Amino acid sequence: MTAQTAFSAIDPGHNRTDCHRHDLARLLRPSWAELDFDALGRNVAATRSLVGPDVRIYFVCKGDGFGFGAAAVAKAAERAGVDGFCAGSPDEVVSIRSTGTSLPVLLFASTTPDDLPAAARLGATVTVQSLADMDAVLAAGDRIEVFVEVDCGLGRYGLRPQQWQGVLQRLRTADHVRVRGLYSHLSTPDDPDISRQQAELFRQAAADAAAAGHDDLILMLASSRVVLAYPDMLFNAVDPGRLIYGGGLDENWMEIGGLSPLLTAVKSRIIQVQEHPPGTVLGIGYGAPIAIERGMRTAVAPIGFWDGLNHIPPLGEVLIRGRRCPVLGRRTFQHSVIDVTALAEAAPGDEVVVLGRQGTEEISIHDLARAIGITVIELVPRLARSLPHVYVGLGQERDGWRG
Ligand SMILES: *Cc1c(COP(=O)(O)O)cnc(C)c1O
């Protein structure tokens, strides 16, 4: 099978001149993730209708855009109308800037204080979240734009209530420092009482910032769950991630938001079918060998834990020829062994659906996460960053192919 035939088997309509040889070679091992960038656009529109025209949307592109590629998602989200980006690390700032965007990029706390000026020079608005960060930006030679992050109870990073007043006052005195905004992140969005208390503390921080003389601040507290649950906590900007990827939220929140997943499917193909006569002893995936009493037919798909799935059972099921088939033993580095005893016609080349639809059957991301014992928010970026990306949907984006 040539790279071209492997490729056209996956995406028959694709013009192969605009993707790279490396991607084609990677897809000769037929395991891939299908991404629908139209869904991302629809989710931006859904977010816009939730927050209204005047609240800025800073789209969170941490974890290399949840594994989908920070540049690719940033580009699609900018077209759909976001107002800024949040990056989780300096290299993501570089990726986002590589799209040519002039929108603001907020860098969440991720460097040591000393490296804040260097991170700012990449084109980021950096986070001041500690006294040491304050000292570092005060000592910076160049003009530097910052967001101040306050801790209203998450206990991760951020200035505590007894610290922020002093820092806000101090930053006001430095001509080379421009404070663009103030943000925080709630600890327990499921609990309205705790969330209201933390939001109240954030309101206090905003009042303290205004009293210290910081005008026109961007005030941002609302990640996805907050946007969906607390319309009174939107302030003048929001910083959702999962809402826009349409992934990683509980099923009920997906429905409430009218969201569609960017990650629509994870698929592979059978590369081998094997008949095991009664009495065969097999230790599939290095598990303890078991004697197969009745005989078994197994199929191998080249997708393993390296691709973002799990190693130790439970391993869940896959769809082949529209039927659910259990995954056996332990999943190995790059392979899954599937019980196809009930599928006499199973053959090399058959599509194996790990996530998504086949015929009338479907394995949703929530089904898959439950079946293999991983939370959806961990599973989505694991799959997205591990597997080659194939773009599906109407307005197919062709320039984001990633090897
Ligand atoms: C991860 C993160 C977000 C986005 O969270 P979602 O639940 O994906 O919307 C927003 N703000 C901060 C500070 C974060 O760390």
Side-chain angles (χ1 to χ4, degrees):
M1 204 189 214
T2 66
Q4 190 167 9
T5 58
F7 193 82
S8 41
I10 288 163
D11 183 2
H14 194 86
N15 168 7
R16 63 185 294 270
T17 56
D18 56 10
C19 52
H20 306 295
R21 219 175 249 185
H22 176 80
D23 299 308
L24 289 170
R26 222 183 146 201
L27 285 166
L28 278 173
R29 174 178 173 264
S31 295
W32 69 96
E34 293 183 0
L35 274 47
D36 178 4
F37 275 83
D38 293 346
L40 186 143
R42 288 196 298 276
N43 295 336
V44 171
T47 307
R48 177 59 70 201
S49 67
L50 284 166
V51 304
D54 301 328
V55 170
R56 275 179 255 207
I57 301 172
Y58 273 64
F59 170 41
V60 175
C61 301
K62 66 188 178 193
D64 194 24
F66 275 43
F68 296 108
V73 297
K75 216 150 111 182
E78 179 163 5
R79 270 202 295 269
V82 302
D83 306 289
F85 304 103
C86 301
S89 70
D91 55 303
E92 291 154 16
V93 175
V94 174
S95 296
I96 295 167
R97 285 284 170 233
S98 77
T99 68
T101 184
S102 53
L103 295 179
V105 180
L106 162 61
L107 176 60
F108 287 154
S110 53
T111 70
T112 59
D114 286 351
D115 283 332
L116 284 176
R121 284 195 292 275
L122 300 173
T125 307
V126 296
T127 294
V128 169
Q129 53 85 20
S130 67
L131 298 177
D133 284 352
M134 176 191 72
D135 290 339
V137 305
L138 288 174
D142 306 325
R143 209 182 129 66
I144 187 163
E145 273 199 2
V146 307
F147 260 78
V148 172
E149 210 269 352
V150 293
D151 184 359
C152 298
L154 179 61
R156 181 169 61 180
Y157 56 80
L159 296 162
R160 302 287 302 147
Q162 54 286 8
Q163 295 176 316
W164 68 54
Q165 226 162 2
V167 170
L168 287 161
Q169 284 163 2
R170 205 53 221 293
L171 291 175
R172 186 74 187 89
T173 64
D175 286 339
H176 69 290
V177 181
R178 156 129 194 258
V179 178
R180 204 187 236 292
L182 189 70
Y183 74 100
S184 190
H185 195 45
L186 298 184
S187 72
T188 322
D190 283 326
D191 186 319
D193 292 335
I194 294 175
S195 296
R196 295 240 143 72
Q197 281 165 24
Q198 294 182 352
E200 198 41 51
L201 213 47
F202 185 68
R203 243 172 232 117
Q204 186 57 54
D208 290 343
H214 297 285
D215 301 322
D216 301 325
L217 287 189
I218 294 168
L219 302 173
M220 192 160 72
L221 181 69
S223 59
S224 299
R225 287 289 321 281
V226 183
V227 171
L228 287 165
Y230 306 105
D232 55 324
M233 294 181 199
L234 303 182
F235 294 89
N236 61 15
V238 297
D239 58 340
R242 292 182 280 172
L243 199 58
I244 290 176
Y245 298 104
L249 287 158
D250 292 344
E251 283 148 307
N252 58 325
W253 290 113
M254 292 285 292
E255 254 172 60
I256 291 167
L259 306 174
S260 1
L262 171 57
L263 176 64
T264 57
V266 168
K267 295 179 182 170
S268 185
R269 288 187 189 279
I270 294 177
I271 59 167
Q272 144 89 330
V273 174
Q274 185 99 311
E275 299 286 345
H276 302 287
T280 309
V281 177
L282 301 172
I284 294 172
Y286 320 114
I290 294 169
I292 310 295
E293 279 172 32
R294 293 171 157 199
M296 185 160 58
R297 181 180 306 110
T298 57
V300 175
I303 186 163
F305 58 78
W306 183 60
D307 300 290
L309 295 165
N310 62 335
H311 173 45
I312 302 289
L315 304 183
E317 296 172 324
V318 296
L319 305 177
I320 300 171
R321 294 182 181 248
R323 297 271 291 272
R324 288 180 181 270
C325 306
V327 180
L328 295 167
R330 291 179 177 186
R331 199 172 349 240
T332 55
F333 207 96
Q334 294 193 292
H335 298 95
S336 298
V337 179
I338 302 151
D339 184 350
V340 291
T341 309
L343 266 183
E345 27 351 332
D350 283 1
E351 185 181 83
V352 175
V353 170
V354 176
L355 161 71
R357 225 175 245 289
Q358 195 184 52
T360 56
E361 291 283 348
E362 182 176 11
I363 297 174
S364 74
I365 189 74
H366 297 96
D367 298 336
L368 178 62
R370 266 190 298 269
I372 69 178
I374 300 176
T375 63
V376 198
I377 183 60
E378 288 167 277
L379 185 57
V380 170
R382 276 170 60 159
L383 295 167
R385 74 173 182 240
S386 307
L387 288 156
H389 296 167
V390 170
Y391 293 164
V392 298
L394 295 173
Q396 290 187 30
E397 162 137 5
R398 296 292 166 112
D399 47 2
W401 281 89
R402 201 190 71 153

